[in-house]
Amino acid sequence: MPKNDMKKILITGAVGQIGSELTLALRKKYGKENVIACGRKTKPSDGLLKSGPFEYIDITNRETVEQVVKEYDIDTIYNMAAILSATGEEKPLLCWNVNINGLYNIIEIAHEYNMTRVFVPSSIAVFGPETPRINTPQETILKPKTMYGVTKVAGELLGDYYFKKFGIDVRGLRYPGIISSETLPGGGTTDYAVNIFYEAIKNKKYTCFVKKDTILPMMYMPDCIKATMDIMEADISKLKHHCDFNISSMSFSAGELADEIKKHIPDFKCDYKPDFRQAIADSWPQSIDDTAAKNEWGWKPFYDLQSMTKDMLEKLGKRNKEGKL
Ligand code: SER
């Protein structure tokens, strides 16, 4: 029978794009000593280090995770460590090892230590060219053509299997591209939607690695954090899905994003030189139907293209003035 208390939280990938902001949000909610941030190699920022405990672990090495779980009496894991889609195409074996063998270690440890809950992120990368691309349904064809997508489909199935078979309360969301101002993403196909802001502010020009008319679903970080914390607190008796919730907030083309930035920085120039990531983007949906998330746990995003762009430019502009960009 799934338990309810989330008192001692371990977060893997805590130095990454989502992990770094999620850690601070979780510390605010659950107390700074109760959220153990973990990374593999990258040095954490001072802000992250000063805000609570930090440990080095490698999720592909089970013992390193178990040690921290025992030391801090962990009952909840957010497994944010992953290799993203573009790096995954360059290093498919590494992608499989981290995203599948690493995830397997995390879920097995959660089972063995009778944990309350595990969060396992999924992605729009679970879809592929055979999937309907507009308003992609919750239940649909999952035949991704990237190694990252393959690992994300398997991860959803593994989480659902452990829930059904062993009662381990694993939950997950299919994140769209995440746009954020604190930590840069690394190795993803949707990274252009973050890089464009930094370059617009620093150099007033950007060369985008997907075509101008490439439309993808995106989400601003505050909504991503809200969705992640909300699904983990949702009443389990209302959930029909567990590890595979579609979530949506905004969709736009690379050209529309550049135009929106131009409204604030009129001399900003964007040109387009598609590379291998274009094929990945073309295999993903343009927009997502998230009715199940709305109905089962009340999902509702706040930001749209206009409000996200304004906020990003304000935040990055301020950091640039302070010489910290
Ligand atoms: N943002 C991710 C990527 O581009 C998708 O989940 O790989």
Side-chain angles (χ1 to χ4, degrees), residues 144-270:
K145 301 293 182 266
T146 60
M147 179 54 99
Y148 176 68
V150 170
T151 67
K152 287 294 166 186
V153 174
E156 288 183 356
L157 295 173
L158 192 67
D160 282 347
Y161 176 84
Y162 268 73
F163 176 68
K164 196 156 174 273
K165 178 108 176 163
F166 302 114
I168 309 299
D169 189 354
V170 188
R171 303 181 184 190
L173 306 170
R174 289 172 176 158
Y175 287 142
I178 305 297
I179 298 171
S180 65
S181 60
E182 286 304 312
T183 309
L184 278 165
T189 300
T190 56
D191 293 10
Y192 66 88
V194 183
N195 298 340
I196 192 171
F197 284 99
Y198 281 74
E199 294 307 314
I201 286 186
K202 285 197 286 193
N203 305 316
K204 296 195 165 45
K205 59 178 197 305
Y206 179 60
T207 301
C208 183
F209 59 74
V210 299
K211 289 190 281 195
K212 191 175 179 179
D213 61 358
T214 304
I215 300 174
L216 284 173
M218 301 280 177
M219 182 177 288
Y220 194 30
M221 186 60 94
D223 279 330
C224 168
I225 300 290
K226 182 164 119 40
T228 307
M229 290 173 68
D230 284 357
I231 180 62
M232 284 294 269
E233 278 162 15
D235 176 354
I236 194 161
S237 68
K238 303 222 162 65
L239 300 184
K240 293 193 194 85
H241 299 83
H242 290 273
C243 295
D244 60 355
F245 279 103
N246 279 5
I247 47 165
S248 161
S249 101
M250 57 181 105
S251 285
F252 48 76
S253 68
E256 284 166 338
L257 176 58
D259 288 346
E260 191 59 35
I261 293 173
K262 249 184 244 172
K263 288 185 192 162
H264 302 264
I265 307 175
D267 47 351
F268 171 59
K269 290 213 162 32
C270 189

Side-chain angles (χ1 to χ4, degrees), residues 93-109:
L93 201 68
L94 175 71
C95 184
W96 178 269
N97 198 24
V98 174
N99 298 8
I100 293 293
N101 296 336
L103 173 64
Y104 184 78
N105 285 339
I106 295 291
I107 296 186
E108 255 301 308
I109 289 171

